[in-house]
Amino acid sequence: MEGDDAELTVAVRAAQSGDETAFRTVYRTVQPRLLGYVRTLVGEADAEDVASEAWLQIARDLERFTGDADRFRGWAATIARNRALDHIRMRGRRPAIGGDESELAARAADADTAGEALEALGTGRTLALIAQLPQDQAEAVVLRVVVGLDAKSAAGVLGKRPGAVRTAAHRGLRRLAELVTAGPGGPPATGAGQDRRAGGATVSSGVTQTRARTQKDM
């Protein structure tokens, strides 16, 4: 178990015993990535409210949770996804993710890897690009890259086979590379690059690891 995962596992177990400081550590560790996932489902305007509802349930049901850090992230993502889908049904609208595949297919594909996409992940612009992917690919990419789940845990969240999630994530990363290289905005501006350096290091590392795992699994 990696250092960060070991620390999160310890914090989760302490939080289950009523340690409020440990629960705050769990929240600070998991919330940024969980919020990124919720944004892809319900959009920016409603993401904070839906994530707050998810955390209320997480806090309420925490004593019944069993498992390590990866299982906790998957459990939290499942709760967040259910709250997001409830929100969508209540509002009577479609999920924020899920683009038109024909539009993506019509774009030029100069790159045969996801390298350009990996450089941009972690920025608000890339989350907007992810929102243009077909729903299965968008959720697979966000769960594996942003939330940091392995294929098995992501499959549990989505109710699919791990192989299907690996395939969707692989295809999503390739399509994301096409969008980044062929998009009207061109390469990210200097400000976006600064934002990546300031806030996207953890996500970029997760992307690189996910890409390697996905290609190996394929």
Side-chain angles (χ1 to χ4, degrees), residues 20 30 65 80 82 105 159 174 176 200:
E20 293 184 3
V30 176
F65 169 77
N82 289 338
R174 288 181 66 97
L176 193 59

Side-chain angles (χ1 to χ4, degrees), residues 167-211:
T167 298
H170 179 75
R171 290 175 177 171
L173 286 171
R174 288 181 66 97
R175 288 183 180 276
L176 193 59
E178 294 173 10
L179 286 172
V180 170
T181 57
T190 302
Q194 292 172 344
D195 178 64
R196 284 201 306 275
R197 291 191 293 273
T202 299
V203 174
S204 296
S205 175
V207 170
T208 303
Q209 295 171 9
T210 300
R211 182 188 175 201

